[in-house]
Amino acid sequence: MSDHRPRLSRAEQRRQTENRILAAARHLFATLGYDRTTIRGVAAAAEADPGLVMRYFGSKDALFARVAEVAPDRPVAGTPEEVAELLLASMADKLESDAPGALAMLRSMLTHPDTGDEVRAAIAEQQRQVAAALSTDDAVLRAGLIGALTVGVLLSRHLLHLEGVRDAGAAEIVSVLRPAVHAIAQGTAAPDPRRDH
């Protein structure tokens, strides 16, 4: 019995192989981290030759950069209230996705400092936009605190698997955090109770 499936072109074969390699690399970087992931291990998981991995991607660093590419967030603009809601929606998106690329990036940036450059650049750009939209004198601090809160929540869910954060729905987490993010974005602050004594 003959096989009537159309033969794949070389370009299609290459694309399929690249996708298999990227999927294997995403999984290994996410589970093992940067240092313990090897080209040979990626090749074995992708059922490809290590030389092919090197030919397609050039180096482990270049392969990691492809796996951990940071998708740009939506531009941040508007009133402080609107900015808070944009940031909460972005957080919900990141919480809902399985995000193996993000997990690979988070795990590896903690153990391999160079891999965090792209992430820091993306976060810094968003924080500049947030600070520009806030009307307080300490807008840079407030933007940084919202960024730190977001990174902490994502680390707690995707990497540390902290009880509660790991199992809650994205909508529930965002609902609990909404008053805090709005308070930070809108410039409200609680007085220090120690000053009353």
Side-chain angles (χ1 to χ4, degrees):
M1 191 176 205
S2 61
D3 188 350
H4 295 293
R5 285 178 297 183
R7 298 188 69 175
L8 295 176
S9 68
R10 281 201 168 162
E12 289 166 333
Q13 287 176 354
R14 178 185 171 118
R15 198 173 310 112
Q16 284 189 358
T17 303
E18 280 187 4
N19 288 339
R20 270 200 339 270
I21 292 168
L22 284 170
R26 207 170 275 121
H27 174 73
L28 290 177
F29 281 125
T31 55
L32 301 177
Y34 182 89
D35 291 329
R36 291 172 52 209
T37 298
T38 64
I39 291 293
R40 191 174 297 282
V42 169
E47 298 179 355
D49 185 85
L52 204 57
V53 178
M54 293 300 287
R55 185 160 33 143
Y56 286 175
F57 297 97
S59 68
K60 180 175 157 180
D61 281 346
L63 177 60
F64 178 80
R66 279 288 300 279
V67 164
E69 280 176 351
V70 179
D73 277 308
R74 289 167 284 191
V76 176
T79 66
E81 293 85 356
E82 291 167 338
V83 166
E85 284 304 316
L86 280 171
L87 296 174
L88 288 164
S90 176
M91 183 191 298
D93 289 345
K94 292 179 175 76
L95 287 168
E96 282 175 346
S97 68
D98 185 24
L103 179 54
M105 169 271 297
L106 288 170
R107 182 182 295 279
S108 297
M109 73 182 286
L110 297 175
T111 58
H112 192 74
D114 293 343
T115 64
D117 290 344
E118 184 185 356
V119 182
R120 276 186 288 275
I123 292 171
E125 174 55 31
Q126 185 180 68
Q127 285 183 241
R128 278 191 288 275
Q129 293 177 23
V130 172
L134 302 184
S135 54
T136 60
D137 291 339
D138 58 354
V140 172
L141 169 62
R142 289 173 181 275
L145 290 172
I146 294 171
L149 179 63
T150 302
V151 170
V153 169
L154 295 175
L155 279 170
S156 298
R157 183 179 183 86
H158 292 306
L159 188 59
L160 301 175
H161 306 291
L162 292 187
E163 191 174 350
V165 181
R166 175 193 63 207
D167 303 317
E172 184 182 359
I173 292 171
V174 166
S175 177
V176 170
L177 289 175
R178 179 168 278 112
V181 172
H182 273 277
I184 296 169
Q186 293 175 42
T188 55
D192 185 343
R194 293 170 298 180
R195 292 192 177 164
D196 295 336
H197 298 297

